Amino acid sequence: MKTYLRWNKKSAYSLAALAPLINFEGFTSEPKEGIMVYSFSTKQAQFFYDEVLEFASNSKKTIFIAGGPHPTGSPEETLDYFDYVVIGEGEETLPELINAIQNNIDINKIEGIGYRSNSGEKVYTNPRSNVDLDTYPCFDPTHLYSPIEISRGCPWKCKYCQTPELFGSRMRHRSISSILKFSKYYSDIRFTSSNALAYGSDGIHPNLDKVELLLSSIAELGEKNIFFGTFPSEVRPEFVSDKALELVLEYCTNTSISMGAQTGSDAIMRSISRGHDVNDVIIAVERCIDHGIVPNVDFIVGFPGETPSDQMKSVELMKWICNKKGGKVHAHYFTPLPGTPYSNSLPSSVSKDVNKELGKLALKGKLTGTWQSST
Ligand code: SF4
């Protein structure tokens, strides 16, 4: 059976990591007969469920495999539509699963999958351990490029976040020699990590010597623009130390830092288990400004239990960052994600006053994002 990867721009980094590990015919933007592999987030789930349902109603010759954040967080639901779910990291599981399907090998021996048995029962095999990043490439330039994944996993337990569920709570790092190998493909180098400034550390206590070794080693490659602590990665505010910012200034091209604040309310900060407080955000923003670096700060509105007063505290912090400090903010509306402690929680609605204030910041070009429910 031929294997295809369902092209999905929002999961391009996952597809880039998986493509070098399997024999496949190509990327496709529609289902084909054979083995179809999907990776998707919660916002995309219904679209792909509908696609699979429609195709399967006309053709029984396709086996559908799903992986990524939503199928990992909600394998039970995903198996209502897909034949197999890869739960967690796919580097080892997906090639084994495709090989087993193609060669009629007992799939019960494959760790980290869910599937529907012939009787329609949903079956889950033993979980699979997390992979060693150095064993697998970030991408293969003959297929698809992606930013260089320097770290995976996160020891923090923010209640809205799928990262610990998907990648585990132990932070793992790609070695500098492996990162250098992939850096050679780029003149502008960007990275993915749950917290770029935690490179080389346990994710709780910074290891800036390791960060400096990484950045200086890449700089030695010559004529590279290094973008560190910025899109598509972000950093935790308490990691934004003077020394960290000095490293960015010394080795990197970026003149901004992307950091997660999420809320301006300490009550919400505690209830979402962020592990830092609002003052840590204020200190980090001040430090950025002192170093001539623009802080790009991420917020979520609509957390469960968030009151209009909590939301207004976020607005006040956003206004301080934008109007007083020259920073920028990005807002999202809270989504309860499967596999997180908030999976069954209801978002709070955004108050009229908050909506108005956020609209004003957006009109001035200080705020980007979507802070209202799409439903
Ligand atoms: S939001 Fe960031 S710090 Fe919190 S658990 Fe997720 S990756 Fe970790």
Side-chain angles (χ1 to χ4, degrees):
M1 283 178 106
K2 290 178 176 172
T3 301
Y4 299 91
L5 289 173
R6 173 64 166 91
W7 171 245
N8 171 9
K9 195 176 171 198
K10 295 218 157 96
S11 290
Y13 303 165
S14 304
L15 297 178
L18 295 172
L21 308 178
I22 59 172
N23 287 323
F24 71 112
E25 292 298 307
F27 295 100
T28 171
S29 51
E30 58 187 7
K32 290 180 185 293
E33 289 187 351
I35 299 174
M36 284 291 307
V37 179
Y38 289 66
S39 175
F40 53 89
S41 67
T42 297
K43 282 193 175 150
Q44 303 171 299
Q46 194 56 53
F47 177 84
F48 288 127
Y49 290 163
D50 292 344
E51 176 176 295
V52 167
L53 261 188
E54 189 185 335
F55 191 81
S57 67
N58 295 318
S59 165
K60 304 287 174 217
K61 292 186 183 159
T62 296
I63 293 173
F64 290 98
I65 301 174
H70 187 81
T72 292
S74 193
E76 190 84 10
E77 176 193 281
T78 308
L79 285 174
D80 287 341
Y81 306 87
F82 283 76
D83 300 295
Y84 297 93
V85 175
V86 171
I87 300 169
E89 298 174 340
E91 279 90 347
E92 290 168 359
T93 312
L94 183 65
E96 280 183 32
L97 176 58
I98 291 173
N99 180 50
I101 293 168
Q102 286 176 328
N103 297 295
N104 267 329
I105 296 169
D106 180 6
I107 53 168
N108 279 302
K109 294 199 171 67
I110 300 172
E111 295 176 333
I113 63 164
Y115 67 94
R116 277 199 315 258
S117 70
N118 290 338
S119 64
E121 186 195 0
K122 291 170 183 170
V123 182
Y124 302 95
T125 62
N126 290 328
R128 184 180 292 269
S129 309
N130 292 319
V131 303
D132 172 0
L133 293 187
D134 271 6
T135 309
Y136 300 99
C138 317
F139 59 84
D140 177 338
T142 61
H143 297 305
L144 187 62
Y145 283 85
S146 72
I148 301 169
E149 184 185 36
I150 56 171
S151 310
R152 210 185 259 188
C154 181
W156 300 95
K157 293 184 171 57
C158 307
K159 283 189 189 167
Y160 55 87
C161 175
Q162 287 177 313
T163 295
E165 165 83 5
L166 188 59
F167 294 135
S169 56
R170 187 176 63 83
M171 202 162 183
R172 291 158 282 147
H173 307 283
R174 188 173 290 279
S175 69
I176 291 175
S177 59
S178 174
I179 294 168
L180 292 178
K181 193 173 128 200
F182 291 98
S183 298
K184 289 180 183 152
Y185 292 108
Y186 288 108
S187 52
D188 289 0
I189 308 173
R190 292 183 166 79
F191 308 94
T192 54
S193 167
S194 54
N195 176 6
L197 287 174
Y199 180 72
S201 79
D202 60 4
I204 297 171
H205 310 93
N207 183 351
L208 290 176
D209 289 344
K210 202 67 194 263
V211 173
E212 176 157 26
L213 190 58
L214 169 65
L215 296 177
S216 61
S217 302
I218 300 172
E220 275 173 23
L221 294 174
E223 299 189 1
K224 302 283 182 194
N225 294 315
I226 305 172
F227 295 83
F228 196 78
T230 188
F231 181 82
S233 178
E234 66 173 31
V235 300
R236 285 180 60 90
E238 76 276 26
F239 278 67
V240 181
S241 60
D242 289 328
K243 169 78 178 162
L245 293 170
E246 280 154 22
L247 292 179
V248 170
L249 288 175
E250 183 173 355
Y251 295 105
C252 305
T253 304
N254 48 301
T255 54
S256 66
I257 287 278
S258 300
M259 76 174 92
Q262 317 310 359
T263 175
S265 157
D266 272 322
I268 294 298
M269 205 68 100
R270 284 190 293 276
S271 73
I272 63 176
S273 301
R274 263 299 281 182
H276 64 76
D277 59 21
V278 173
N279 199 43
D280 288 317
V281 179
I282 292 169
I283 291 170
V285 169
E286 296 276 22
R287 280 186 185 143
C288 286
I289 300 304
D290 288 348
H291 287 81
I293 290 176
V294 177
N296 278 331
V297 189
D298 226 56
F299 284 82
I300 299 173
V301 286
F303 282 117
E306 195 178 59
T307 64
S309 154
D310 291 319
Q311 289 178 359
M312 207 38 100
K313 285 178 181 162
S314 292
V315 168
E316 291 309 319
L317 184 56
M318 291 183 203
K319 283 161 81 174
W320 177 77
I321 292 167
C322 296
N323 299 336
K324 293 264 187 323
K325 295 292 161 184
K328 293 190 171 168
V329 292
H330 188 80
H332 317 257
Y333 188 65
F334 167 76
T335 306
L337 297 173
T340 71
Y342 277 153
S343 58
N344 295 315
S345 302
L346 283 178
S348 302
S349 53
V350 178
S351 79
K352 265 190 186 168
D353 290 346
V354 167
N355 193 27
K356 197 168 138 194
E357 293 295 335
L358 296 181
K360 280 194 220 162
L361 285 174
L363 278 176
K364 284 187 205 157
K366 303 281 188 183
L367 177 145
T368 53
T370 312
W371 59 89
Q372 284 178 308
S373 166
S374 52
T375 55

